[in-house]
Amino acid sequence: MTEPTSVPLVPKAELHVHLEAGAAPELVRRNAARYGVDVSRLFDEEGRYLWTDFSAFLVAYDLAASVFRTPEDFAELAEIYQQEAAAAGSIYTEFFVSPDFGERSGLGYRAYLDGIVEGLRRAEAATGIVGRVIPLVERHYGPERGVEAARIAVNNLVPEVVGFGMAGEERLHAPHEFAAAFEIAAEAGLPLTCHAGEWCSWEGVAATLDAIPVKRIGHGVRAIENGDLIRRIVEEGIHLEICPVSNVTLGVYPDYARHPLRALREAGVRHSLNTDDPPFFWTSVGHEYRMARDAFGLSEDDLAAVTRTAIEDAFCDEVTKARLFAKL
Ligand code: ADE
Ligand code: ZN
């Protein structure tokens, strides 16, 4: 067996991680025992998350999320994630949070959000890492629920809420069906991001750019299938939140050699490196930077430039960005 290589030392930042899918198996097992929830089917014999394909992953992720029930549970989830990211050299994280998970936890979105923000503030006080949140609509819950999620998001703005987005099953519902939800968020001044070009081809990315005034696309990697679209992305300065380990682990690409990170970089596409759902995909922010170096050949300077681009295209305010740039 080859020795694992070290994590690159450069400061890191990520713009795309789903909070509840950042929960380590031990934390989920501990909370499940506390609340009497059977989570045995979530894990393999070695205690790692178990799922077979993207649909099964979404079900597993819902079950893991169901064992977070109090504001303190969510504070702890956010705090632990940030502590570990900071230990790996990360200075900034934007988390996707979900009004739907907030409602389903029994807490309601505001108490859920307050818990998360408390955890982010504690982690920042302890380590300096900055955390912000992007509420999102789950596409597979449909456009009506999307409008509701957007309303809930804009009625509960705190300084840590910096954007609005959409994740979920890309093969269900066209982007234009969510135009009303995104309009509610845009009118409240929130910049937008939307998952696309992961499970659907380049056309999913083009349809998203046509229907929704997004600044960033979650994944977006399949844009590489169309040269005109890539030129549009570069010209419009659209940022792709690239999640290479997620893409290979979920089977969007069979291996790193066929992943388009290098081609997207060579085309001049703005991008960041992100974990998506880290323990589900056996990754972490440190591992993403390590894989970018080891599997894609990025130098330390390249990686530092990736972090700089992530901060430039982060949704936080300029004062926060200036604080982050000072750490680079
Ligand atoms: N929600 C959590 N992870 C996701 C992914 N990779 N794609 C779409 N929705 C998600
Ligand atoms: Zn995602």
Side-chain angles (χ1 to χ4, degrees):
M1 224 176 90
T2 50
E3 286 293 312
T5 57
S6 61
V7 168
L9 290 175
V10 295
K12 304 165 187 73
E14 66 174 329
L15 305 181
H16 184 133
V17 53
H18 300 259
L19 176 72
E20 289 83 355
E26 311 78 65
L27 182 60
V28 168
R29 274 196 296 269
R30 198 203 65 194
N31 283 12
R34 180 188 297 156
Y35 296 124
V37 179
D38 178 9
V39 289
S40 51
R41 69 181 184 282
L42 262 182
F43 303 108
D44 68 13
E45 283 158 13
E46 285 161 26
R48 305 187 338 158
Y49 282 114
L50 186 66
W51 45 269
T52 45
D53 58 17
F54 182 61
S55 304
F57 155 72
L58 287 179
V59 173
Y61 162 50
D62 270 5
L63 179 57
S66 75
V67 303
F68 295 89
R69 298 189 176 180
T70 66
E72 180 52 28
D73 288 348
F74 286 102
E76 198 180 26
L77 170 58
E79 184 182 15
I80 292 173
Y81 186 89
Q82 287 292 73
Q83 295 260 14
E84 289 181 3
S90 185
I91 59 171
Y92 182 72
T93 313
E94 280 179 15
F95 291 93
F96 292 126
V97 304
S98 160
D100 289 295
F101 282 148
E103 301 290 324
R104 244 190 293 157
S105 68
L107 281 176
Y109 176 67
R110 187 51 185 254
Y112 159 88
L113 180 64
D114 287 345
I116 294 165
V117 164
E118 166 66 20
L120 296 179
R121 290 180 185 169
R122 289 199 311 234
E124 182 171 347
T127 68
I129 190 170
V130 175
R132 296 289 182 262
V133 300
I134 300 177
L136 55 68
V137 25
E138 297 285 351
R139 190 168 182 143
H140 44 281
Y141 298 161
E144 282 176 20
R145 187 63 204 149
V147 165
E148 192 51 31
R151 285 210 182 102
I152 292 171
V154 303
N155 287 334
N156 292 281
L157 294 178
V158 297
E160 281 80 1
V161 172
V162 293
F164 183 76
M166 178 159 74
E169 178 49 85
E170 190 186 349
R171 292 162 288 201
L172 296 176
H173 300 292
H176 69 82
E177 295 178 60
F178 293 90
F182 279 99
E183 210 174 296
I184 290 168
E187 273 175 10
L190 295 174
L192 308 176
T193 177
C194 183
H195 283 52
E198 180 191 24
W199 298 106
C200 294
S201 73
W202 66 272
E203 292 174 63
V205 179
T208 303
L209 294 180
D210 288 343
I212 303 166
V214 291
K215 294 194 168 156
R216 305 194 322 228
I217 293 275
H219 300 285
V221 280
R222 295 188 59 187
I224 200 68
E225 294 161 14
N226 183 292
D228 288 340
L229 176 60
I230 289 292
R231 277 184 286 281
R232 176 179 180 187
I233 286 172
V234 172
E235 273 169 30
E236 295 182 12
I238 302 292
H239 177 113
L240 301 190
E241 303 154 4
I242 301 183
C243 312
V245 177
S246 164
N247 294 155
V248 172
T249 310
L250 280 171
V252 176
Y253 296 100
D255 52 39
Y256 291 101
R258 272 168 282 189
H259 190 284
L261 175 62
R262 287 179 68 127
L264 291 162
R265 288 175 55 76
E266 280 159 18
V269 172
R270 300 181 69 78
H271 61 279
S272 48
L273 290 167
N274 304 280
T275 56
D276 205 10
D277 307 294
F280 283 87
F281 305 150
W282 313 297
T283 189
S284 63
V285 66
H287 187 61
E288 295 293 332
Y289 275 66
R290 173 167 44 211
M291 291 306 290
R293 181 192 62 199
D294 295 353
F296 296 100
L298 274 70
S299 67
E300 293 269 333
D301 283 351
D302 293 335
L303 293 171
V306 168
T307 301
R308 179 164 286 279
T309 304
I311 294 168
E312 284 167 357
D313 294 343
F315 286 164
C316 61
D317 61 55
E318 295 302 321
V319 173
T320 307
K321 286 190 189 190
R323 271 203 289 139
L324 296 168
F325 282 130
K327 296 184 182 184
L328 300 186

